[in-house]
Amino acid sequence: MAGNGRRGAVRKAGKKNVGGSGGQKRGLRGKGPTPKAEDRVYHAAHKRAKEKRRRDSGRHERKGDGSELVVGRNPVVECLHAKVPAAALIVALGTDNDERLQESVRIANSRGIPIREVPRHELDALTGNTMHQGIGLQIPPYKYAAVEDLIDSVAKTGEPGLIVCLDNITDPRNLGAVIRSVAAFGGHGVVIPERRSAAITGVAWRTSAGTAARLPVARATNMVRSLKQFQKAGYQVVGLDAGGDHTLDTYDGTTPVVVVVGSEGKGLSRLVRDTCDTIMSIPMTGWVESLNASVAAGVTLSEFARQRRAKSSE
């Protein structure tokens, strides 16, 4: 039979040809715009951008034991100047000696911080990459206080407590700046959520300018429950947000008070806001929508500290 070399072969009826060049072809779908070079993980620009973010933020590597390794010459020097607690200064053998390295070694020696010289490949393994600039500072895990212990320690001072609780704050710079403001204006401590929150890292240590070593920071498993603990202990819980019952000009901050600060974008979470005794706003120019969280906390603490000084001088 013509067209078929096998005698008796019969084509089955109803079978559709759906594959190969003779079948139906699907239309080609566009993949969208090409991602930026720095967004493509395999591209050299991605690695450069990643390293720049590391240098700018003083990024740290978290270890299994909870300790951290701050890498990069500028971040390490800044941490040492801020008197961040350190377990060891790690220097890779063969690292180029410059002023920042010499300064790091000098400060470490003056503070009694052990200096470990290790092969470069060992520091590569500790950080998971080669972008450490030959130096790292090992920071032990931060020892957080318990909310109950914070309440008890303030009660022993006989002073009206002044506490700041942070809700939805994920930037360690904001956390460090708030800790510094609380210490500067006579506050007694800071409370942060255990999850979905900035923690005391090398970046927070540096931003706090070392005040994190002297001001207790507590971690709350449940922020709403912790706020109710403060209320039970006689504190007024004041949330900072627009359109509140009070403004900073009309609120009496001389009594025991917990100031709750939300993020600039999300503000206070619903349950936290509902738990507050008062919502208070900060008067400011109408065309400015909001303040950075650490700035808002600093302004409020400064006013409360002024009120307390005025009351004590009466």
Side-chain angles (χ1 to χ4, degrees):
M1 294 177 64
N4 194 321
R6 187 159 56 88
R7 178 175 294 180
V10 178
R11 182 184 297 275
K12 293 183 179 180
K15 186 175 181 180
K16 296 182 179 180
N17 186 1
V18 295
S21 60
Q24 297 177 351
K25 295 182 180 180
R26 296 180 179 178
L28 296 177
R29 295 181 180 177
K31 296 183 178 180
T34 303
K36 295 180 180 179
E38 56 265 29
D39 294 334
R40 287 176 265 168
V41 296
Y42 53 83
H43 200 284
H46 175 79
K47 296 180 179 179
R48 290 195 296 269
K50 186 177 179 181
E51 169 60 12
K52 184 179 185 301
R53 289 193 297 269
R54 176 191 296 275
R55 290 196 304 267
D56 292 344
S57 65
R59 183 178 173 183
H60 56 274
E61 306 291 337
R62 186 174 294 276
K63 305 304 171 187
D65 61 357
S67 64
E68 299 163 15
L69 189 64
V70 175
V71 297
R73 301 194 181 196
N74 284 337
V76 167
V77 169
E78 290 171 5
C79 282
L80 290 169
H81 276 301
K83 298 182 179 179
V84 174
L89 177 68
I90 303 174
V91 180
L93 292 169
T95 299
D96 292 337
N97 195 1
D98 65 2
E99 292 182 2
R100 292 169 298 173
L101 180 59
Q102 293 174 8
E103 189 174 7
S104 297
V105 171
R106 179 182 58 78
I107 298 174
N109 279 325
S110 66
R111 291 179 51 193
I113 299 172
I115 300 175
R116 290 172 46 203
E117 290 188 285
V118 301
R120 181 168 288 272
H121 66 81
E122 185 174 328
L123 189 53
D124 293 347
L126 286 172
T127 60
N129 56 65
T130 60
M131 301 178 183
H132 43 67
Q133 298 182 318
I135 189 170
L137 189 68
Q138 187 175 1
I139 301 176
Y142 183 82
K143 295 181 180 179
Y144 293 94
V147 173
E148 297 82 2
D149 295 338
L150 181 56
I151 294 173
D152 291 343
S153 64
V154 176
K156 292 176 182 177
T157 66
E159 302 173 353
L162 181 56
I163 305 293
V164 172
C165 291
L166 300 181
D167 184 36
N168 289 323
I169 303 298
T170 56
D171 188 340
R173 293 180 185 83
N174 270 336
L175 172 58
V178 168
I179 292 171
R180 189 173 184 176
S181 292
V182 174
F185 295 114
H188 299 91
V190 175
V191 180
I192 61 175
E194 193 172 85
R195 294 176 296 174
R196 295 186 293 275
S197 169
I200 303 294
T201 63
V203 175
W205 268 113
R206 281 161 41 211
T207 312
S208 77
T211 54
R214 303 185 64 178
L215 188 82
V217 177
R219 257 183 167 174
T221 305
N222 184 300
M223 183 59 79
V224 170
R225 188 184 307 141
S226 296
L227 292 177
K228 290 180 178 179
Q229 286 180 276
F230 280 108
Q231 289 170 329
K232 189 176 180 180
Y235 286 76
Q236 285 287 305
V237 176
V238 179
L240 295 186
D241 210 345
D245 310 319
H246 283 273
T247 69
L248 187 57
D249 294 340
T250 62
Y251 190 83
D252 180 6
T254 61
T255 63
V257 61
V258 173
V259 179
V260 188
V261 185
S263 69
E264 185 176 352
K266 296 180 179 179
L268 300 174
S269 59
R270 182 181 62 82
L271 291 177
V272 167
R273 184 186 177 95
D274 291 346
T275 306
C276 293
D277 298 302
T278 299
I279 300 299
M280 184 181 72
S281 59
I282 299 175
M284 55 188 179
T285 305
W287 56 269
V288 178
E289 293 184 3
S290 62
L291 292 174
N292 171 274
S294 60
V295 174
V299 169
T300 304
L301 292 166
S302 175
E303 170 59 18
F304 286 179
R306 184 198 65 78
Q307 293 180 13
R308 294 178 179 211
R309 288 193 304 270
K311 185 175 182 178
S312 64
S313 63
E314 292 177 355

